[in-house]
Amino acid sequence: MSTPKLVYVTTIRTTPAKLWEALTNPDFIQQYWFGCRHTSTWKEGEAIESRDPDGDLAWQGKILKCVPEQEVVFTFGHIGFGEPPSRVTFKIDLANEGPGLMQLTITHDDFQEVSPVRDRVSNGWPSIIAGIKSLLETGSVEEKAGCPETHATASASH
Amino acid sequence: MDEVFKALADESRRALLDRLHARNGQTLGELCDGLDMTRQAVTKHLGILEAAKLVATVRRGREKLHYLNPVPIHEIGVRWIGKFEVQRLDTLAELKRNLEQNHQP
């Protein structure tokens, strides 16, 4: 019996190519991932590592599966927690809601029964996934109070 | 965002989210267990929650597991709560929790 996963889903008005770029290009990543940059060749079996703004290693892992513009799976070993690596999956699908919308699903699983890493990342993922959406739809991750709704087309008329 | 508010504006659906918050990744059967709702009603509510992206489903063999997706609620939060208010609000919520606990008979 595996421990519960974390699952996050959002729809983003973008293309698979742009979403893939946002997930794999360190210049994009650092804008929504608390300033961290990941480096990897994004090839199966190769390493992935993420460094915080000070250049210190934040987490590292290995690419388990990589299908550009569709799916990437990697192990996630958080530095300083002494836990065996967990597993992160990014999946890109066409959203059911309409053309031009992608569904991004992030799954984080394979945690230990008691996992401080799980508690830690469950605070971070909603902000990361919201940042990816904001970056692709508005060009910035600035989350402003009172920003217009992404899918609202009609302006308010009273 | 309308869909999210409509989905949340129902006590039974909030109860289902509470159950997933307590234990993520449940089957329909597990979610129905001990609830005063028919299986059909739970299915319908889960459909509405899934359409609003408050619940995500993942297939595991023949089972369909339901997960609470906090992303839409996070988006509501960032829309009206400033970045630097979060900590003060946490403190306030903690204070409220403590005070109310101490006042229980």
Side-chain angles (χ1 to χ4, degrees):
Chain A
M1 185 66 195
S2 59
T3 53
K5 330 174 178 216
L6 300 169
V7 181
Y8 304 95
V9 185
T10 195
T11 49
I12 305 177
R13 188 166 295 282
T14 188
T15 63
K18 283 183 185 158
L19 185 45
W20 186 254
E21 176 84 359
L23 294 177
T24 55
N25 182 330
D27 293 334
F28 282 103
I29 292 167
Q30 72 172 2
Q31 293 182 61
Y32 61 77
W33 202 299
F34 313 109
C36 290
R37 294 173 67 91
H38 318 343
T39 44
S40 177
T41 58
W42 303 98
K43 294 205 165 60
E44 281 168 30
E46 303 247 359
I48 177 168
E49 58 174 50
S50 183
R51 290 181 183 276
D52 67 20
D54 295 331
D56 293 329
L57 200 57
W59 57 267
Q60 60 187 352
K62 196 170 94 172
I63 306 286
L64 300 175
K65 180 180 179 187
C66 188
V67 184
E69 301 185 16
Q70 290 179 33
E71 188 176 16
V72 60
V73 186
F74 53 86
T75 61
F76 182 95
H78 209 312
I79 303 300
F81 281 80
E83 282 184 42
S86 45
R87 181 175 58 192
V88 173
T89 303
F90 290 145
K91 200 163 181 307
I92 300 173
D93 295 292
L94 293 173
N96 297 325
E97 283 80 357
L101 282 173
M102 300 296 134
Q103 175 165 300
L104 172 65
T105 305
I106 300 179
T107 311
H108 197 157
D109 59 2
D110 262 6
F111 293 105
Q112 297 295 292
E113 197 64 46
V114 175
S115 172
V117 168
R118 186 181 192 280
D119 297 341
R120 166 84 172 247
V121 298
S122 66
N123 284 321
W125 281 123
S127 162
I128 289 172
I129 199 166
I132 296 171
K133 180 180 168 77
S134 177
L135 182 67
L136 286 165
E137 292 186 343
T138 70
S140 113
V141 293
E142 277 294 304
E143 296 179 315
K144 292 191 190 81
C147 63
E149 286 175 32
T150 320
H151 302 307
T153 44
S155 58
S157 53
H158 297 289
Chain B
M1 203 171 256
D2 280 355
E3 261 188 325
V4 177
F5 283 105
K6 280 177 192 156
L8 289 172
D10 179 280
E11 198 177 355
S12 304
R13 290 197 283 273
R14 291 195 298 272
L16 287 169
L17 291 179
D18 285 339
R19 286 175 82 108
L20 290 177
H21 188 244
R23 192 163 67 84
N24 222 352
Q26 297 190 53
T27 61
L28 175 62
E30 288 169 325
L31 278 168
C32 289
D33 196 28
L35 270 188
D36 195 16
M37 258 192 279
T38 63
R39 204 177 165 90
Q40 289 91 324
V42 174
T43 304
K44 188 173 155 250
H45 285 312
L46 285 174
I48 292 168
L49 289 168
E50 203 176 337
K53 295 270 186 292
L54 287 160
V55 163
T57 56
V58 176
R59 289 216 159 265
R60 190 182 65 188
R62 289 167 57 191
E63 289 178 323
K64 190 165 147 187
L65 301 179
H66 299 80
Y67 290 88
L68 174 62
N69 178 37
V71 176
I73 296 170
H74 175 84
E75 285 168 359
I76 292 171
V78 295
R79 177 163 169 167
W80 286 294
I81 299 172
K83 201 173 180 178
F84 302 103
E85 289 172 329
V86 174
Q87 206 179 346
R88 289 195 292 267
L89 289 169
D90 280 347
T91 310
L92 198 61
E94 182 67 21
L95 180 68
K96 178 179 159 75
R97 214 167 18 244
N98 284 336
L99 289 174
E100 288 179 348
Q101 259 170 17
N102 291 342
H103 270 274
Q104 269 169 16

